[in-house]
Amino acid sequence: MNRYQAYMKSDKWREMRIKRIRADLGMCRGKIIDKDGKERLCLSRHKLEVHHLTYARLGNERLDDLICLCRECHEAIHKKQTR
């Protein structure tokens, strides 16, 4: 198990994850395009995950290093990053 995987299983990460979800009011902050072609926040409350905007402070993240996303938005971000 690498450093990242170990941290993701830690109590410290679980606490930070809960703080980020609470700070985002339990809603996804991913950006989507609505049926009118306008960008808006997703705001889903289902299958929430917390995404690292930076890994520079892994293990010592600031709350603004993270964003709450639904699984669909999280997967979309990772697909964009690998293109």
Side-chain angles (χ1 to χ4, degrees), residues 21-76:
I21 291 171
R22 286 182 179 156
D24 286 335
L25 304 176
M27 293 183 279
C28 175
R29 298 298 175 183
K31 294 179 182 175
I32 61 173
I33 305 300
D34 68 17
K35 62 184 177 185
D36 297 322
K38 295 179 184 174
E39 187 177 86
R40 67 173 180 84
L41 292 179
C42 174
L43 302 179
S44 173
R45 293 182 177 272
H46 302 285
K47 298 180 182 177
L48 296 177
E49 301 176 352
V50 175
H51 173 72
H52 283 85
L53 298 170
T54 177
Y55 292 98
R57 290 176 283 276
L58 183 66
N60 295 299
E61 298 93 348
R62 297 185 318 220
L63 208 49
D64 62 347
D65 289 341
L66 307 167
I67 188 172
C68 183
L69 299 169
C70 67
R71 183 172 294 155
E72 188 175 332
C73 287
H74 197 186
E75 288 175 0

Short mmCIF file of all heavy atoms in Angstrom, two decimals, residues 21-76:
data_model
loop_
_atom_site.label_atom_id
_atom_site.label_comp_id
_atom_site.label_asym_id
_atom_site.label_seq_id
_atom_site.Cartn_x
_atom_site.Cartn_y
_atom_site.Cartn_z
N ILE A 21 -17.33 17.97 2.91
CA ILE A 21 -18.73 17.73 2.52
C ILE A 21 -19.65 18.68 3.27
O ILE A 21 -20.55 19.27 2.67
CB ILE A 21 -19.12 16.25 2.74
CG1 ILE A 21 -18.38 15.36 1.73
CG2 ILE A 21 -20.63 16.06 2.63
CD1 ILE A 21 -18.51 13.87 1.98
N ARG A 22 -19.39 18.88 4.54
CA ARG A 22 -20.20 19.84 5.32
C ARG A 22 -20.03 21.26 4.80
O ARG A 22 -20.99 22.02 4.69
CB ARG A 22 -19.85 19.76 6.80
CG ARG A 22 -20.40 18.54 7.46
CD ARG A 22 -20.08 18.52 8.93
NE ARG A 22 -20.63 17.33 9.55
CZ ARG A 22 -20.19 16.79 10.66
NH1 ARG A 22 -19.17 17.36 11.32
NH2 ARG A 22 -20.75 15.71 11.15
N ALA A 23 -18.80 21.65 4.48
CA ALA A 23 -18.53 23.00 3.98
C ALA A 23 -19.27 23.24 2.66
O ALA A 23 -19.69 24.36 2.37
CB ALA A 23 -17.04 23.22 3.80
N ASP A 24 -19.42 22.18 1.87
CA ASP A 24 -20.14 22.29 0.59
C ASP A 24 -21.63 21.95 0.74
O ASP A 24 -22.32 21.74 -0.25
CB ASP A 24 -19.49 21.37 -0.45
CG ASP A 24 -18.16 21.93 -0.95
OD1 ASP A 24 -17.96 23.15 -0.88
OD2 ASP A 24 -17.33 21.14 -1.42
N LEU A 25 -22.08 21.94 2.00
CA LEU A 25 -23.50 21.73 2.32
C LEU A 25 -24.04 20.42 1.77
O LEU A 25 -25.22 20.30 1.44
CB LEU A 25 -24.34 22.91 1.82
CG LEU A 25 -23.91 24.29 2.34
CD1 LEU A 25 -24.74 25.38 1.69
CD2 LEU A 25 -23.98 24.35 3.85
N GLY A 26 -23.16 19.42 1.67
CA GLY A 26 -23.57 18.09 1.22
C GLY A 26 -24.02 18.06 -0.23
O GLY A 26 -24.87 17.24 -0.60
N MET A 27 -23.43 18.94 -1.04
CA MET A 27 -23.81 19.00 -2.45
C MET A 27 -22.57 19.02 -3.35
O MET A 27 -21.54 19.58 -2.99
CB MET A 27 -24.62 20.26 -2.74
CG MET A 27 -25.98 20.27 -2.08
SD MET A 27 -26.94 21.72 -2.50
CE MET A 27 -26.25 22.93 -1.37
N CYS A 28 -22.72 18.42 -4.52
CA CYS A 28 -21.66 18.41 -5.52
C CYS A 28 -21.40 19.81 -6.03
O CYS A 28 -22.32 20.56 -6.34
CB CYS A 28 -22.09 17.50 -6.68
SG CYS A 28 -20.92 17.49 -8.05
N ARG A 29 -20.11 20.17 -6.14
CA ARG A 29 -19.71 21.48 -6.66
C ARG A 29 -19.13 21.38 -8.07
O ARG A 29 -18.50 22.31 -8.56
CB ARG A 29 -18.67 22.12 -5.72
CG ARG A 29 -19.21 22.38 -4.33
CD ARG A 29 -20.36 23.34 -4.40
NE ARG A 29 -20.97 23.50 -3.07
CZ ARG A 29 -22.02 24.24 -2.86
NH1 ARG A 29 -22.63 24.87 -3.84
NH2 ARG A 29 -22.52 24.34 -1.65
N GLY A 30 -19.40 20.24 -8.72
CA GLY A 30 -18.96 20.08 -10.10
C GLY A 30 -19.75 20.99 -11.03
O GLY A 30 -20.89 21.34 -10.75
N LYS A 31 -19.11 21.38 -12.13
CA LYS A 31 -19.77 22.25 -13.11
C LYS A 31 -20.30 21.40 -14.25
O LYS A 31 -19.58 20.55 -14.78
CB LYS A 31 -18.80 23.31 -13.62
CG LYS A 31 -18.40 24.27 -12.54
CD LYS A 31 -17.42 25.31 -13.04
CE LYS A 31 -17.01 26.22 -11.88
NZ LYS A 31 -15.97 27.17 -12.29
N ILE A 32 -21.55 21.64 -14.60
CA ILE A 32 -22.18 20.92 -15.70
C ILE A 32 -22.82 21.92 -16.65
O ILE A 32 -23.03 23.08 -16.30
CB ILE A 32 -23.23 19.90 -15.19
CG1 ILE A 32 -24.36 20.60 -14.43
CG2 ILE A 32 -22.58 18.83 -14.32
CD1 ILE A 32 -25.52 19.70 -14.05
N ILE A 33 -23.14 21.45 -17.84
CA ILE A 33 -23.84 22.27 -18.82
C ILE A 33 -25.30 21.84 -18.80
O ILE A 33 -25.62 20.67 -19.01
CB ILE A 33 -23.25 22.08 -20.23
CG1 ILE A 33 -21.75 22.36 -20.24
CG2 ILE A 33 -23.99 22.97 -21.25
CD1 ILE A 33 -21.34 23.75 -19.83
N ASP A 34 -26.21 22.80 -18.55
CA ASP A 34 -27.63 22.44 -18.48
C ASP A 34 -28.22 22.35 -19.89
O ASP A 34 -27.54 22.57 -20.89
CB ASP A 34 -28.41 23.40 -17.58
CG ASP A 34 -28.52 24.81 -18.12
OD1 ASP A 34 -28.29 25.03 -19.32
OD2 ASP A 34 -28.86 25.71 -17.32
N LYS A 35 -29.50 22.01 -19.97
CA LYS A 35 -30.15 21.79 -21.26
C LYS A 35 -30.20 23.06 -22.12
O LYS A 35 -30.38 22.98 -23.33
CB LYS A 35 -31.56 21.23 -21.06
CG LYS A 35 -32.50 22.14 -20.30
CD LYS A 35 -33.84 21.47 -20.06
CE LYS A 35 -34.71 22.40 -19.23
NZ LYS A 35 -35.97 21.77 -18.87
N ASP A 36 -30.02 24.23 -21.49
CA ASP A 36 -29.99 25.49 -22.24
C ASP A 36 -28.57 25.88 -22.65
O ASP A 36 -28.35 26.96 -23.19
CB ASP A 36 -30.60 26.62 -21.39
CG ASP A 36 -32.07 26.37 -21.07
OD1 ASP A 36 -32.78 25.85 -21.96
OD2 ASP A 36 -32.48 26.69 -19.94
N GLY A 37 -27.61 25.00 -22.37
CA GLY A 37 -26.23 25.27 -22.74
C GLY A 37 -25.49 26.17 -21.77
O GLY A 37 -24.38 26.61 -22.06
N LYS A 38 -26.07 26.42 -20.61
CA LYS A 38 -25.43 27.28 -19.61
C LYS A 38 -24.71 26.44 -18.56
O LYS A 38 -25.20 25.39 -18.15
CB LYS A 38 -26.47 28.16 -18.93
CG LYS A 38 -27.13 29.14 -19.87
CD LYS A 38 -28.17 29.97 -19.15
CE LYS A 38 -28.88 30.89 -20.14
NZ LYS A 38 -29.98 31.59 -19.51
N GLU A 39 -23.55 26.94 -18.14
CA GLU A 39 -22.80 26.25 -17.08
C GLU A 39 -23.44 26.55 -15.73
O GLU A 39 -23.82 27.68 -15.45
CB GLU A 39 -21.35 26.73 -17.09
CG GLU A 39 -20.47 25.94 -16.14
CD GLU A 39 -19.02 26.37 -16.22
OE1 GLU A 39 -18.66 27.32 -15.52
OE2 GLU A 39 -18.27 25.74 -17.00
N ARG A 40 -23.57 25.50 -14.92
CA ARG A 40 -24.10 25.66 -13.56
C ARG A 40 -23.48 24.59 -12.68
O ARG A 40 -22.87 23.65 -13.16
CB ARG A 40 -25.62 25.56 -13.55
CG ARG A 40 -26.17 24.20 -13.90
CD ARG A 40 -27.69 24.13 -13.71
NE ARG A 40 -28.21 22.83 -14.04
CZ ARG A 40 -28.24 21.78 -13.22
NH1 ARG A 40 -27.74 21.87 -12.00
NH2 ARG A 40 -28.74 20.62 -13.61
N LEU A 41 -23.67 24.75 -11.37
CA LEU A 41 -23.20 23.73 -10.43
C LEU A 41 -24.13 22.54 -10.47
O LEU A 41 -25.36 22.68 -10.60
CB LEU A 41 -23.14 24.30 -9.01
CG LEU A 41 -22.08 25.36 -8.75
CD1 LEU A 41 -22.16 25.85 -7.30
CD2 LEU A 41 -20.69 24.83 -9.04
N CYS A 42 -23.58 21.36 -10.32
CA CYS A 42 -24.37 20.12 -10.33
C CYS A 42 -25.34 20.08 -9.15
O CYS A 42 -26.52 19.81 -9.32
CB CYS A 42 -23.42 18.93 -10.31
SG CYS A 42 -24.22 17.33 -10.15
N LEU A 43 -24.83 20.26 -7.93
CA LEU A 43 -25.59 20.29 -6.68
C LEU A 43 -26.25 18.96 -6.30
O LEU A 43 -27.11 18.91 -5.43
CB LEU A 43 -26.63 21.42 -6.68
CG LEU A 43 -26.07 22.83 -6.88
CD1 LEU A 43 -27.20 23.85 -6.90
CD2 LEU A 43 -25.04 23.17 -5.83
N SER A 44 -25.82 17.86 -6.92
CA SER A 44 -26.34 16.55 -6.55
C SER A 44 -25.96 16.25 -5.10
O SER A 44 -24.92 16.70 -4.60
CB SER A 44 -25.75 15.48 -7.46
OG SER A 44 -26.11 14.18 -7.01
N ARG A 45 -26.78 15.47 -4.42
CA ARG A 45 -26.49 15.04 -3.05
C ARG A 45 -26.21 13.54 -2.99
O ARG A 45 -26.11 12.96 -1.92
CB ARG A 45 -27.67 15.38 -2.14
CG ARG A 45 -27.88 16.87 -1.94
CD ARG A 45 -29.04 17.12 -0.98
NE ARG A 45 -29.22 18.52 -0.73
CZ ARG A 45 -28.59 19.21 0.24
NH1 ARG A 45 -27.73 18.60 1.02
NH2 ARG A 45 -28.82 20.49 0.41
N HIS A 46 -26.07 12.91 -4.14
CA HIS A 46 -25.92 11.45 -4.21
C HIS A 46 -24.48 11.03 -4.50
O HIS A 46 -23.79 11.66 -5.30
CB HIS A 46 -26.84 10.88 -5.29
CG HIS A 46 -28.27 11.20 -5.05
ND1 HIS A 46 -29.03 10.57 -4.09
CD2 HIS A 46 -29.08 12.12 -5.61
CE1 HIS A 46 -30.24 11.08 -4.08
NE2 HIS A 46 -30.31 12.03 -5.00
N LYS A 47 -24.06 9.96 -3.84
CA LYS A 47 -22.74 9.36 -4.06
C LYS A 47 -21.62 10.39 -4.04
O LYS A 47 -20.83 10.51 -4.98
CB LYS A 47 -22.74 8.56 -5.36
CG LYS A 47 -23.73 7.42 -5.37
CD LYS A 47 -23.70 6.67 -6.67
CE LYS A 47 -24.76 5.56 -6.63
NZ LYS A 47 -24.82 4.85 -7.91
N LEU A 48 -21.55 11.14 -2.95
CA LEU A 48 -20.55 12.21 -2.84
C LEU A 48 -19.16 11.68 -2.55
O LEU A 48 -18.99 10.75 -1.75
CB LEU A 48 -20.97 13.21 -1.77
CG LEU A 48 -22.26 13.97 -2.06
CD1 LEU A 48 -22.62 14.86 -0.88
CD2 LEU A 48 -22.17 14.77 -3.34
N GLU A 49 -18.19 12.29 -3.20
CA GLU A 49 -16.78 11.98 -3.02
C GLU A 49 -16.04 13.30 -2.83
O GLU A 49 -16.58 14.36 -3.15
CB GLU A 49 -16.25 11.24 -4.24
CG GLU A 49 -17.01 9.95 -4.50
CD GLU A 49 -16.59 9.22 -5.77
OE1 GLU A 49 -15.79 9.78 -6.56
OE2 GLU A 49 -17.05 8.08 -5.96
N VAL A 50 -14.83 13.23 -2.30
CA VAL A 50 -14.04 14.44 -2.13
C VAL A 50 -12.80 14.31 -3.01
O VAL A 50 -12.06 13.33 -2.96
CB VAL A 50 -13.68 14.67 -0.65
CG1 VAL A 50 -12.75 15.87 -0.51
CG2 VAL A 50 -14.95 14.89 0.17
N HIS A 51 -12.61 15.33 -3.85
CA HIS A 51 -11.53 15.36 -4.84
C HIS A 51 -10.44 16.33 -4.41
O HIS A 51 -10.74 17.42 -3.92
CB HIS A 51 -12.13 15.80 -6.18
CG HIS A 51 -11.14 16.05 -7.26
ND1 HIS A 51 -10.45 15.02 -7.88
CD2 HIS A 51 -10.71 17.20 -7.83
CE1 HIS A 51 -9.65 15.55 -8.80
NE2 HIS A 51 -9.79 16.86 -8.79
N HIS A 52 -9.20 15.90 -4.57
CA HIS A 52 -8.05 16.78 -4.32
C HIS A 52 -7.83 17.69 -5.51
O HIS A 52 -7.66 17.22 -6.64
CB HIS A 52 -6.77 15.96 -4.10
CG HIS A 52 -6.67 15.33 -2.77
ND1 HIS A 52 -7.23 14.12 -2.46
CD2 HIS A 52 -6.05 15.77 -1.64
CE1 HIS A 52 -6.96 13.83 -1.20
NE2 HIS A 52 -6.25 14.81 -0.68
N LEU A 53 -7.83 18.99 -5.29
CA LEU A 53 -7.49 19.95 -6.34
C LEU A 53 -5.98 20.03 -6.51
O LEU A 53 -5.48 20.38 -7.57
CB LEU A 53 -8.07 21.33 -5.99
CG LEU A 53 -9.60 21.37 -5.91
CD1 LEU A 53 -10.06 22.70 -5.34
CD2 LEU A 53 -10.22 21.11 -7.27
N THR A 54 -5.27 19.69 -5.44
CA THR A 54 -3.80 19.62 -5.45
C THR A 54 -3.38 18.53 -4.46
O THR A 54 -4.06 18.28 -3.47
CB THR A 54 -3.16 20.97 -5.05
OG1 THR A 54 -1.73 20.79 -5.02
CG2 THR A 54 -3.61 21.46 -3.69
N TYR A 55 -2.25 17.91 -4.78
CA TYR A 55 -1.67 16.91 -3.86
C TYR A 55 -0.45 17.48 -3.14
O TYR A 55 0.26 16.76 -2.44
CB TYR A 55 -1.29 15.64 -4.62
CG TYR A 55 -2.50 14.90 -5.14
CD1 TYR A 55 -2.92 15.05 -6.45
CD2 TYR A 55 -3.24 14.06 -4.32
CE1 TYR A 55 -4.04 14.39 -6.93
CE2 TYR A 55 -4.36 13.39 -4.78
CZ TYR A 55 -4.74 13.56 -6.09
OH TYR A 55 -5.85 12.91 -6.56
N ALA A 56 -0.22 18.77 -3.31
CA ALA A 56 0.98 19.41 -2.74
C ALA A 56 1.05 19.26 -1.22
O ALA A 56 2.15 19.20 -0.67
CB ALA A 56 1.02 20.89 -3.12
N ARG A 57 -0.10 19.22 -0.56
CA ARG A 57 -0.12 19.13 0.91
C ARG A 57 -0.80 17.83 1.36
O ARG A 57 -1.45 17.80 2.41
CB ARG A 57 -0.82 20.34 1.50
CG ARG A 57 -0.05 21.63 1.34
CD ARG A 57 -0.81 22.83 1.86
NE ARG A 57 -1.84 23.26 0.93
CZ ARG A 57 -1.65 24.06 -0.12
NH1 ARG A 57 -0.45 24.53 -0.37
NH2 ARG A 57 -2.64 24.40 -0.91
N LEU A 58 -0.67 16.76 0.59
CA LEU A 58 -1.31 15.49 0.91
C LEU A 58 -1.01 15.10 2.36
O LEU A 58 0.14 15.06 2.77
CB LEU A 58 -0.83 14.38 -0.02
CG LEU A 58 -1.49 13.02 0.19
CD1 LEU A 58 -2.97 13.08 -0.15
CD2 LEU A 58 -0.80 11.95 -0.64
N GLY A 59 -2.05 14.89 3.12
CA GLY A 59 -1.91 14.57 4.54
C GLY A 59 -2.02 15.80 5.43
O GLY A 59 -2.24 15.67 6.63
N ASN A 60 -1.85 16.97 4.83
CA ASN A 60 -1.95 18.24 5.55
C ASN A 60 -2.76 19.24 4.74
O ASN A 60 -2.44 20.44 4.72
CB ASN A 60 -0.56 18.80 5.85
CG ASN A 60 0.20 17.91 6.80
OD1 ASN A 60 -0.22 17.70 7.93
ND2 ASN A 60 1.30 17.36 6.33
N GLU A 61 -3.77 18.73 4.04
CA GLU A 61 -4.56 19.58 3.15
C GLU A 61 -5.22 20.72 3.91
O GLU A 61 -5.56 20.59 5.08
CB GLU A 61 -5.71 18.78 2.49
CG GLU A 61 -5.29 17.67 1.62
CD GLU A 61 -5.21 16.35 2.35
OE1 GLU A 61 -5.27 16.33 3.60
OE2 GLU A 61 -5.10 15.32 1.69
N ARG A 62 -5.41 21.81 3.16
CA ARG A 62 -6.31 22.86 3.62
C ARG A 62 -7.67 22.52 3.04
O ARG A 62 -7.78 21.80 2.04
CB ARG A 62 -5.84 24.22 3.10
CG ARG A 62 -4.48 24.63 3.59
CD ARG A 62 -4.09 26.02 3.17
NE ARG A 62 -4.45 26.32 1.78
CZ ARG A 62 -3.70 26.99 0.94
NH1 ARG A 62 -2.53 27.44 1.32
NH2 ARG A 62 -4.10 27.23 -0.28
N LEU A 63 -8.71 23.03 3.65
CA LEU A 63 -10.06 22.73 3.17
C LEU A 63 -10.23 23.16 1.72
O LEU A 63 -10.88 22.47 0.94
CB LEU A 63 -11.09 23.44 4.07
CG LEU A 63 -12.45 22.80 4.20
CD1 LEU A 63 -12.40 21.32 4.52
CD2 LEU A 63 -13.28 23.53 5.22
N ASP A 64 -9.57 24.26 1.32
CA ASP A 64 -9.72 24.72 -0.06
C ASP A 64 -8.84 23.95 -1.05
O ASP A 64 -8.85 24.25 -2.24
CB ASP A 64 -9.50 26.23 -0.17
CG ASP A 64 -8.11 26.68 0.24
OD1 ASP A 64 -7.36 25.89 0.84
OD2 ASP A 64 -7.77 27.83 -0.05
N ASP A 65 -8.13 22.94 -0.58
CA ASP A 65 -7.41 22.02 -1.48
C ASP A 65 -8.35 20.94 -2.00
O ASP A 65 -7.95 20.13 -2.85
CB ASP A 65 -6.26 21.32 -0.74
CG ASP A 65 -5.10 22.23 -0.42
OD1 ASP A 65 -4.98 23.30 -1.05
OD2 ASP A 65 -4.31 21.88 0.48
N LEU A 66 -9.55 20.91 -1.48
CA LEU A 66 -10.51 19.83 -1.77
C LEU A 66 -11.81 20.39 -2.30
O LEU A 66 -12.15 21.55 -2.06
CB LEU A 66 -10.80 19.04 -0.48
CG LEU A 66 -9.58 18.52 0.28
CD1 LEU A 66 -10.00 18.05 1.66
CD2 LEU A 66 -8.89 17.41 -0.50
N ILE A 67 -12.57 19.53 -3.00
CA ILE A 67 -13.89 19.90 -3.49
C ILE A 67 -14.79 18.67 -3.41
O ILE A 67 -14.35 17.55 -3.64
CB ILE A 67 -13.82 20.45 -4.93
CG1 ILE A 67 -15.16 21.01 -5.36
CG2 ILE A 67 -13.31 19.41 -5.90
CD1 ILE A 67 -15.14 21.75 -6.69
N CYS A 68 -16.03 18.90 -3.06
CA CYS A 68 -17.03 17.84 -2.96
C CYS A 68 -17.65 17.64 -4.35
O CYS A 68 -18.11 18.60 -4.98
CB CYS A 68 -18.10 18.25 -1.94
SG CYS A 68 -19.35 16.99 -1.67
N LEU A 69 -17.64 16.39 -4.81
CA LEU A 69 -18.20 16.06 -6.12
C LEU A 69 -19.04 14.79 -6.03
O LEU A 69 -18.73 13.90 -5.23
CB LEU A 69 -17.07 15.79 -7.13
CG LEU A 69 -16.11 16.94 -7.42
CD1 LEU A 69 -14.92 16.42 -8.23
CD2 LEU A 69 -16.81 18.06 -8.15
N CYS A 70 -20.06 14.70 -6.87
CA CYS A 70 -20.77 13.42 -6.99
C CYS A 70 -19.87 12.49 -7.80
O CYS A 70 -18.91 12.93 -8.46
CB CYS A 70 -22.14 13.60 -7.65
SG CYS A 70 -22.08 14.09 -9.39
N ARG A 71 -20.15 11.22 -7.77
CA ARG A 71 -19.29 10.26 -8.46
C ARG A 71 -19.19 10.58 -9.97
O ARG A 71 -18.12 10.52 -10.56
CB ARG A 71 -19.81 8.84 -8.27
CG ARG A 71 -18.89 7.80 -8.93
CD ARG A 71 -19.27 6.40 -8.60
NE ARG A 71 -19.06 6.20 -7.17
CZ ARG A 71 -19.71 5.29 -6.45
NH1 ARG A 71 -20.61 4.52 -7.01
NH2 ARG A 71 -19.47 5.16 -5.16
N GLU A 72 -20.31 10.96 -10.57
CA GLU A 72 -20.31 11.25 -12.01
C GLU A 72 -19.39 12.43 -12.35
O GLU A 72 -18.59 12.37 -13.28
CB GLU A 72 -21.73 11.55 -12.48
CG GLU A 72 -21.88 11.68 -13.96
CD GLU A 72 -23.32 11.85 -14.40
OE1 GLU A 72 -24.24 11.37 -13.71
OE2 GLU A 72 -23.52 12.48 -15.44
N CYS A 73 -19.48 13.52 -11.58
CA CYS A 73 -18.61 14.68 -11.81
C CYS A 73 -17.16 14.34 -11.51
O CYS A 73 -16.25 14.80 -12.21
CB CYS A 73 -19.08 15.88 -10.98
SG CYS A 73 -20.60 16.64 -11.60
N HIS A 74 -16.92 13.54 -10.49
CA HIS A 74 -15.56 13.16 -10.12
C HIS A 74 -14.93 12.35 -11.26
O HIS A 74 -13.79 12.62 -11.66
CB HIS A 74 -15.59 12.36 -8.82
CG HIS A 74 -14.26 12.26 -8.14
ND1 HIS A 74 -14.08 11.48 -7.04
CD2 HIS A 74 -13.06 12.83 -8.39
CE1 HIS A 74 -12.81 11.58 -6.63
NE2 HIS A 74 -12.18 12.39 -7.45
N GLU A 75 -15.66 11.39 -11.78
CA GLU A 75 -15.14 10.59 -12.89
C GLU A 75 -14.88 11.46 -14.11
O GLU A 75 -13.88 11.28 -14.81
CB GLU A 75 -16.12 9.46 -13.22
CG GLU A 75 -16.13 8.38 -12.17
CD GLU A 75 -17.18 7.30 -12.40
OE1 GLU A 75 -17.93 7.36 -13.41
OE2 GLU A 75 -17.25 6.38 -11.57
N ALA A 76 -15.76 12.43 -14.38
CA ALA A 76 -15.58 13.32 -15.53
C ALA A 76 -14.30 14.14 -15.40
O ALA A 76 -13.57 14.33 -16.37
CB ALA A 76 -16.79 14.24 -15.68
#
